[in-house]
Amino acid sequence: MARRSEGLKLITGIVRAIDNVSKENRNQELHAARNRQKKIQNEMRAVQAELKQLEREQIKQAKANLKEQDVQLKLRLSADKDTAKFLAETESQKYISEHNRLKNLLKEVFYSKSVFNYSTLKDKSFYQIPKPKKPELPLRQIFNFGTVPPNPQDAYYQPAADFLSYFYAPRRIRKAEECKRKFDINYQEWQTRRD
């Protein structure tokens, strides 16, 4: 009985030791995976920061290049440590050269002494579409297609009040006669359409 209990204690001790070793291995693997993930995240953040600093014209081109490099870098980092290290060095050299190129471009843009002229951006061409003409008939008659007789109270048949018409009666009378003439013409057209 004593031997059996000692044997059980020994076996449980061995199992615990194996569990502890496997836990330590798992913890080391998790730690290494987290470090790789942090590296990838840091590199992605660096790529995104560079993308924000690009000018409008070069954003599309540089974005595509950097995203492609980022995808390639992610795929390559899953390979062996030795090849991953070599690839990381070459990729970092590419990033450094791209970064220096963008840095020089920004320096040229921000520190250039050329004056920007807004008048060169203005469109001075003529409009292709002509101005719309005022309708000859009131809109009510246009949309009813002659089914409703013209109304003499419509604004179209009322004389336009201006400053001189208040003081000069012949002008006011002439404008009223023109409006009455428009109404008579439209009323006759309506009667001919109705018949």
Side-chain angles (χ1 to χ4, degrees):
M1 199 71 160
R3 279 183 153 181
R4 195 181 272 177
S5 64
E6 286 178 13
L8 285 174
K9 286 181 184 178
L10 183 64
I11 290 172
T12 55
I14 291 172
V15 169
R16 285 183 186 160
I18 291 172
D19 284 343
N20 288 339
V21 169
S22 65
K23 283 181 183 177
E24 288 177 10
N25 288 342
R26 273 188 257 136
N27 288 340
Q28 288 175 355
E29 289 174 5
L30 285 173
H31 185 67
R34 286 181 186 148
N35 285 341
R36 276 184 261 138
Q37 186 179 11
K38 284 180 183 178
K39 275 185 180 178
I40 290 172
Q41 287 175 350
N42 288 339
E43 289 177 8
M44 287 176 63
R45 286 184 189 132
V47 169
Q48 290 171 353
E50 287 180 21
L51 282 175
K52 287 180 183 177
Q53 295 176 359
L54 290 174
E55 286 196 11
R56 285 183 184 174
E57 298 170 355
Q58 296 190 354
I59 284 178
K60 292 178 185 176
Q61 183 182 21
K63 214 176 200 181
N65 291 342
L66 291 175
K67 283 184 180 179
E68 183 178 309
Q69 290 173 0
D70 197 23
V71 169
Q72 290 175 359
L73 182 64
K74 285 180 187 177
L75 293 173
R76 290 176 185 168
L77 283 176
S78 64
D80 301 323
K81 288 183 180 180
D82 296 335
T83 57
K85 185 177 179 181
F86 174 74
L87 291 174
E89 289 175 359
T90 57
E91 291 297 321
S92 62
Q93 290 299 324
K94 287 180 185 176
Y95 282 125
I96 289 170
S97 64
E98 183 70 17
H99 177 51
N100 289 336
R101 189 182 68 78
L102 294 173
K103 195 176 186 180
N104 292 334
L105 176 70
L106 288 174
K107 280 182 184 178
E108 288 177 17
V109 169
F110 288 126
Y111 297 117
S112 66
K113 295 182 180 180
S114 63
V115 178
F116 188 72
N117 190 0
Y118 285 99
S119 63
T120 58
L121 298 177
K122 293 180 183 176
D123 184 18
K124 296 180 181 178
S125 61
F126 291 103
Y127 288 109
Q128 301 294 327
I129 302 170
K131 237 182 190 180
K133 296 179 181 176
K134 291 185 179 180
E136 296 178 9
L137 297 173
L139 290 177
R140 188 174 115 204
Q141 283 185 359
I142 292 171
F143 291 118
N144 289 330
F145 299 103
T147 57
V148 177
N151 186 1
Q153 302 301 324
D154 280 341
Y156 182 73
Y157 300 117
Q158 299 299 318
D162 59 347
F163 184 71
L164 291 176
S165 296
Y166 286 114
F167 296 109
Y168 191 60
R171 180 183 174 106
R172 184 175 48 233
I173 294 167
R174 183 176 37 118
K175 285 192 173 195
E177 287 174 357
E178 285 176 10
C179 290
K180 184 161 179 21
R181 204 173 324 124
K182 284 181 191 176
F183 172 74
D184 291 339
I185 292 169
N186 288 340
Y187 189 77
Q188 288 174 0
E189 286 178 5
W190 175 75
Q191 281 182 339
T192 56
R193 270 190 255 139
R194 185 184 62 175
D195 295 338

